[in-house]
Amino acid sequence: MNRIAADGILLPVAGRGVARSVLAVLMTSGAFFASPQAFAQSAPAPGATLPPVNVTAPEAQRRTNSSAASRRSSGTRSRRTQTARRPETTPAPKPFAPSQDARTGTVGYFTNSTSVATKSNTPIVNIPQSLSVITHEQIRDQNYQGLTDVTRYVPSVAVHQGEGNRDELVIRGVDSSANFFVNGFRDDVQYFRDMYNAQSIEVLKGPSAITFGRGAGGGLLNRTLKEADGNRVYQATAQTGSWGDRRVTLDAGQAINENVAARLNVFYEGSDAFRDFNHLERYGINPTVTLKPDDFTKVKLSYEYYHDGRTADRGNPSQSLPGGVTRFNPTTPFAPNGNFQTFFGSPSLNTAQATVQTGMAIVEHDFQNGLTVRNGTIAADYQKFYQNIYPTGGALAGAVNPADTAVNLGAYQHTTNRDNVFNQTDFIYKGWTGPVAHTVGFGTEFGHQTGVDIRNTGVFPNGTNTIVQNPFAPTYFGPVNFVHHFTGTNTDGVTTPDSNSKYGLNIESGYLRDTIEFSRALQLIVGTRFDRFEMSALDMNTNINRARTDNLVSPQAALIVKPIESMSIYTAYSISYLPASGDQFSSLTDGTLILQPQKFENTEVGMKWNINPKLLFSTAIYNLNRTNQPIADGNNPGFFFPSGATLTRGFEASLVGYVTDQWQSSLGYAYTDAKITSATSATVVAGNRVQLVPYNQFAWWNKYQFTPVWAAALGIIYFGDSFASSDDTVRLPSFVRFDAGVYATIDANWRAQLTVENIFNKGYWASADGNNNISPGQGRTVRVQASYRF
């Protein structure tokens, strides 16, 4: 028998003709030979012996264009060939790309890494900042209706009511309706977001200006959206439940070929609500496409149309007391006859409407020399309108009088349309200077934002801007005339002009960050960001145009020590700024033109430990000082002193992931001491606690997989007492709430779940927007969902 050598392996073959065929195939494919020199270098060492490999002669290439006649004439031979032919082996197709879960090491509730905090995919244990990631599986299992509801299981985060028309959070004692992001882009208009297309939700705590720019003093929330990653997914869900809830979703995507993948997410939901006369309707569609021109380049394209329409509900008033209320004699919210469902508004007039259209284009390229680049652009159009009849006005500012016989309602409508365009370019370079490794991130952000802020005050049939209602039957069914007030001298009782502003904003930013790795056990991070914030606003009431420019420099530094690879101990320092125009920057006045930006300075020490590969423990203590808060100048209306300050000191800890192979846990605790250290108004004075921030906050969600089919979950939330506003006159009692879920994975296609929010129908006060707009928590709510993969 003849033998030939292939890459140092002796191949016994049946004859020279077959040997030539084998060699021709191997050399043509390049599988074994790069050159004669390469072949010589790959020869086995003297004395080495390798087992012989039997090679079957390759079959002749199948013809695809032969005629029917030729096929008939060779029928006998073809049948013989087919009889002798061995089964063909087709190599597995190359995957389009790693899935989003694979890239971040996401399994169940656990995520190993994220690019949100640093713009480079980084293990969470190596990020010197408090960070919580809520995965798509946890979002699905808990099945809450609102985006901010899922954050109740995140330590150091409280939910703000947002005037009943928007998402708003208080993170480490800092309240903001603007620190929301999507795929790292600013998503700062005031509206309610849905999670139908969310891959994950990331909550960063502490100043984050080096990555996200202005604001973000206490923290921020980012939504990472599902993308076309080439993995096949076809899943439809249908849901029903309490208050007539009905919801359907579709998630469909796959690789079209080795260069193109597509995905589509669609949803619709309609529902009534726990509160009387409330209702909700929302829907959205989000197609995405990913292109791979080559193995080192990706182009991601996305468009979303989203609409949310619901009843705007600003909640309940507080109970006034004989002699009045003070910080030393606080009162509580008012619920008529203990009924948390009573609506203090108008069923026909209270509304919040948002229509959002967003387009995104992201290009990523790996230069294969340690340098990668990402360029992303977002263009978003927000159409936002809301209208409220709510407790306000009068001598008691909307509180129920001590005799429980009267409450004042007021009314307004507000248009806050905005257009956003942002472009971000981020370079990441990984290299060495001698024995020291560097991961250098640098880039730019340019943005342009324009919008309007137009408010009209409601006038009731009595000719004034308030109307008195019975607090035990406060729902208003009459008409309201909405009038724009240009001055403060009106017969209907309006003493301040309504806002009427048209504004524009340009942002130019650049940043540089270097992660210096001296050894496996020691890293130093230093960085800074520069933001130029150019704003102009036309006051259409007076036709006065005002403009100001802020140049902001935000540094960051951190030291990470790693006793073992799976553990980090860090200390970090960072600063963020908020321009004097505020986080919604809708107008400028003579007073705000001369104010200095607010400053947020944070010092943090923390530890992160991957106890096992899918279980992360995190803890931190921090000191967050907020200064330059404006306080009104009582002797000069419209002007301010930049002397207000708050100080938040806290401790937090979390444990997220798989405790065992069957038991998943999401546990969080926070102790937060948020205090006013210098007055920000005549009633918000030093020593007061910051609104909506409890001293103690605890939440624990557990899911246990009993069998391959059945699983169940139980959650508990404890939220300590807090105050509706920072004047500390209306106390919100502490509460404990239990949630649960049961899950059935019926087969490879069908899955069902039953979730119950607030199992024991606990009455509690969930959030507020001031002392007389206080929202009750959702009563017992049952949702049943079925999903089908096809």
Side-chain angles (χ1 to χ4, degrees), residues 528-563:
T528 189
R529 178 179 176 120
F530 172 78
D531 288 280
R532 184 173 177 85
F533 185 90
E534 301 172 309
M535 180 179 174
S536 64
L538 173 63
D539 184 342
M540 293 185 286
N541 286 336
T542 61
N543 206 33
I544 296 175
N545 191 72
R546 299 177 178 89
R548 71 170 286 163
T549 299
D550 289 289
N551 295 309
L552 311 174
V553 177
S554 305
Q556 180 193 56
L559 182 68
I560 302 176
V561 177
K562 302 188 69 177

Side-chain angles (χ1 to χ4, degrees), residues 736-760:
V736 177
R737 192 187 86 188
F738 291 88
D739 306 327
V742 178
Y743 313 95
T745 305
I746 300 168
D747 56 30
N749 303 105
W750 283 101
R751 182 183 183 277
Q753 70 177 49
L754 167 71
T755 55
V756 184
E757 179 181 339
N758 194 2
I759 300 171
F760 301 110

Side-chain angles (χ1 to χ4, degrees), residues 583-620:
D583 61 2
Q584 288 297 330
F585 59 90
S586 56
S587 64
L588 286 171
T589 67
D590 291 338
T592 56
L593 277 177
I594 60 175
L595 273 177
Q596 293 300 307
Q598 295 186 45
K599 181 180 180 181
F600 302 85
E601 186 175 12
N602 187 74
T603 304
E604 181 170 325
V605 177
M607 188 267 279
K608 298 180 181 181
W609 179 24
N610 276 323
I611 299 173
N612 65 47
K614 295 185 292 183
L615 182 64
L616 177 65
F617 172 75
S618 302
T619 186

